Amino acid sequence: IKDDIANVQLAVSEKTDSYTIKTVMDSVATPHTQYYLGNQTAVDIVLPDSANVGQIITVCWYNGETAATLSITGTMLDFDFAPSANTRSEINALWDGRYWAVLGNEMAVPSEVTA
């Protein structure tokens, strides 16, 4: 079933020129892909050495308990991002033909109030 879902997502992505959506990291991040990693305490990402100009890799996750560490390593890029606990974090990497430009964003998630 997972393979069928992946095939459908790939077919839709190709037809709509949208991102491939994954929930598990590849050993090398795939350009034109969105990764939604859920509750992660440690994430390591290796960016490919090249891609088509303008291709983007987006990685999003929710870290609900302890601080996470995100390491991105590529031929021209060595980048560390350590989000705080209870945050939603996002990394966007854009290939310009020579370098990966990386933008990180972190948003605090308020604790639920119980009555």
Side-chain angles (χ1 to χ4, degrees):
I1 293 176
K2 286 184 180 180
D3 289 340
D4 291 340
I5 292 171
N7 290 336
V8 169
Q9 287 176 333
L10 181 59
V12 170
S13 173
E14 290 172 351
K15 298 237 183 258
T16 61
D17 195 33
S18 63
Y19 294 103
T20 299
I21 298 172
K22 298 185 179 183
T23 56
V24 177
M25 285 300 304
D26 299 317
S27 57
V28 175
T30 304
H32 209 60
T33 300
Q34 291 181 346
Y35 294 93
Y36 291 95
L37 301 180
N39 188 8
Q40 300 285 312
T41 56
V43 180
D44 294 314
I45 295 176
V46 178
L47 294 176
D49 295 337
S50 65
N52 292 328
V53 173
Q55 285 193 315
I56 297 174
I57 297 169
T58 300
V59 182
C60 307
W61 76 95
Y62 169 65
N63 178 19
E65 295 179 2
T66 59
T69 298
L70 173 66
S71 297
I72 300 178
T73 305
T75 298
M76 299 182 185
L77 179 69
D78 185 357
F79 179 80
D80 291 324
F81 179 71
S84 306
N86 298 313
T87 60
R88 290 192 184 278
S89 301
E90 182 175 300
I91 295 294
N92 293 291
L94 171 67
W95 179 253
D96 70 359
R98 294 186 59 202
Y99 300 98
W100 285 101
V102 178
L103 175 65
N105 183 44
E106 177 181 285
M107 181 177 69
V109 177
S111 299
E112 293 183 5
V113 178
T114 57

